[in-house]
Amino acid sequence: MVQNIMLFGYSKKISVKCVLIIQVILLSLSKGANSHFGYSESNQRRWGKHHGHCFGKLQSPISIQHSKSVPLHMPAIDLIGYHNLLAHPLKLMNNGHTVSVTIPKFSKEDIEGGEFNPYIRGGKLPGVFEVEGVHFHWGDRNNRGAEHVINDIRYTMEMHIVHRNKKYEKLADALEQKDGAAVLGFFFTLDDSDHEGLAAINKYLPLIENSNESVYMNSTFTLSSLLSHIDLDKFYTYKGSLTTPPCSEAITWVLYPEPLPISSKQISRFRQLQDSIDGALVDNYRSLQPIGNRRVFVRSVNVHHTQLSKLENEVSYKKWDWFF
């Protein structure tokens, strides 16, 4: 069986089998194009052509001003299991867009033996959220790299710890829901001293210099080791999105404004990595997005409102909506 088909401007007789082969090739090319994206201004403007959410009204990152944030009495974020060693082996990967640490889940037998996967709760989080992974955004210069801007400061690097709402089995499913995921954001600023917790990741970076290279770390670490001794009582929170395609508007953001230290040696290792489009993997941060009618809340720390039971009786933090 043959069909007439217009191919590259010419009419040819071609078998149905060939038509199917061409369709498969074009589909695979389309998928490949969608899986790669760049961070230049022109590339970011094209994100929405393949991912409609990138043109949404709840996009991230945003610029946060303390003076424009709404102080709110709410619980601190409980970081459950952050002091426990992560399940291993931990996979460190340069995916061409960032450096990511995939955190494997403990097996059923481990959980029955008392182990559990780290999770978070509290704040205005709509549930309990289990950790999925960690990744970073950094710049070619020390005065840029972070995605969010806090009080007109763009820090050298930003770390995201991604969590999935436990009521959804997989992260991909969770990202289809408004309450699907939560991201804790932490900022790094240049310092004379190394960040000791970051050293566990930093030493493996030369092994994943090129895009799509990965390595299994022969040791594990705790999530709390990445957070040093910063103040975790104060944070900003708002409703937003993934900062990379598909830009799913499923994220409850929690941002801790006190920066972590990173030495020039440590940040230089991030800057030596390569991406799949532009060469050097640097400036991998998305441009700022409009806040629109969203509220940004800042946790109001008050000694008279430290107990969760008192907060629940007050219920103000539950009634306050994310939007004006």
Side-chain angles (χ1 to χ4, degrees):
M1 183 177 180
V2 296
Q3 291 182 345
N4 285 328
I5 185 170
M6 290 296 296
L7 187 62
F8 306 117
Y10 297 95
S11 178
K12 295 288 185 181
K13 287 187 176 181
I14 188 168
S15 69
V16 172
K17 182 178 180 180
C18 290
V19 171
L20 293 175
I21 292 174
I22 291 171
Q23 290 175 337
V24 169
I25 292 173
L26 292 176
L27 179 61
S28 64
L29 289 174
S30 174
K31 288 183 177 180
N34 290 345
S35 64
H36 296 285
F37 58 88
Y39 278 96
S40 68
E41 290 185 13
S42 58
N43 280 328
Q44 289 193 39
R45 286 195 294 269
R46 287 195 288 266
W47 289 5
K49 293 182 179 180
H50 300 293
H51 307 280
H53 286 304
C54 297
F55 289 142
K57 295 182 179 180
L58 305 179
Q59 290 295 289
S60 300
I62 61 173
S63 176
I64 292 177
Q65 293 287 341
H66 184 80
S67 61
K68 296 181 180 179
S69 301
V70 180
L72 193 61
H73 292 301
M74 54 182 149
I77 302 295
D78 292 327
L79 310 177
I80 312 298
Y82 265 52
H83 286 87
N84 300 340
L85 289 173
L86 296 170
H88 58 82
L90 299 175
K91 183 180 180 181
L92 185 69
M93 183 174 186
N94 171 1
N95 63 12
H97 311 303
T98 185
V99 167
S100 64
V101 181
T102 302
I103 300 175
K105 301 294 187 294
F106 283 111
S107 66
K108 181 179 180 181
E109 291 76 16
D110 289 331
I111 293 176
E112 290 175 350
E115 299 283 5
F116 63 92
N117 301 306
Y119 62 91
I120 60 174
R121 65 188 180 191
K124 281 182 65 66
L125 294 175
V128 177
F129 293 75
E130 188 173 272
V131 69
E132 287 282 336
V134 181
H135 64 264
F136 302 86
H137 301 267
W138 62 92
D140 190 32
R141 297 288 184 269
N142 297 330
N143 63 348
R144 64 177 189 254
E147 296 208 292
H148 290 85
V149 170
I150 305 293
N151 296 319
D152 298 322
I153 299 175
R154 192 187 287 276
Y155 287 102
T156 303
M157 188 167 77
E158 184 171 337
M159 175 175 67
H160 294 160
I161 306 181
V162 182
H163 302 74
R164 178 197 81 260
N165 193 323
K166 289 186 70 173
K167 72 180 184 179
Y168 305 112
E169 184 176 354
K170 297 179 180 179
L171 182 60
D173 298 331
L175 292 176
E176 298 295 325
Q177 309 298 325
K178 292 181 180 180
D179 62 348
V183 179
L184 304 187
F186 299 88
F187 304 97
F188 290 82
T189 189
L190 199 65
D191 193 87
D192 292 334
S193 303
D194 285 348
H195 184 297
E196 294 182 3
L198 198 61
I201 294 172
N202 203 252
K203 70 178 181 179
Y204 286 96
L205 294 183
L207 301 180
I208 57 169
E209 180 178 346
N210 298 309
S211 177
N212 296 317
E213 289 185 337
S214 62
V215 62
Y216 284 98
M217 303 169 64
N218 60 11
S219 60
T220 185
F221 57 88
T222 68
L223 289 174
S224 62
S225 69
L226 297 175
L227 310 184
S228 290
H229 302 290
I230 63 170
D231 182 6
L232 297 175
D233 285 332
K234 180 180 178 180
F235 56 81
Y236 298 96
T237 185
Y238 77 98
K239 289 296 290 183
S241 73
L242 293 178
T243 60
T244 58
C247 308
S248 306
E249 295 182 334
I251 310 299
T252 300
W253 280 94
V254 179
L255 301 171
Y256 294 89
E258 184 177 347
L260 296 157
I262 187 171
S263 68
S264 57
K265 179 181 178 181
Q266 287 180 315
I267 191 62
S268 67
R269 285 195 171 181
F270 282 91
R271 292 170 178 163
Q272 290 170 7
L273 302 178
Q274 302 293 306
D275 69 9
S276 56
I277 297 178
D278 301 316
L281 178 51
V282 292
D283 295 336
N284 59 339
Y285 58 90
R286 190 184 187 189
S287 60
L288 294 173
Q289 304 297 302
I291 295 179
N293 67 341
R294 287 177 285 179
R295 283 190 176 101
V296 176
F297 295 107
V298 58
R299 182 172 184 250
S300 179
V301 180
N302 189 317
V303 294
H304 299 297
H305 296 86
T306 54
Q307 294 183 13
L308 181 60
S309 59
K310 292 183 178 180
L311 285 166
E312 288 177 338
N313 290 333
E314 187 180 272
V315 299
S316 62
Y317 76 97
K318 292 182 178 180
K319 289 185 176 180
W320 277 87
D321 196 0
W322 295 106
F323 310 101
F324 289 106

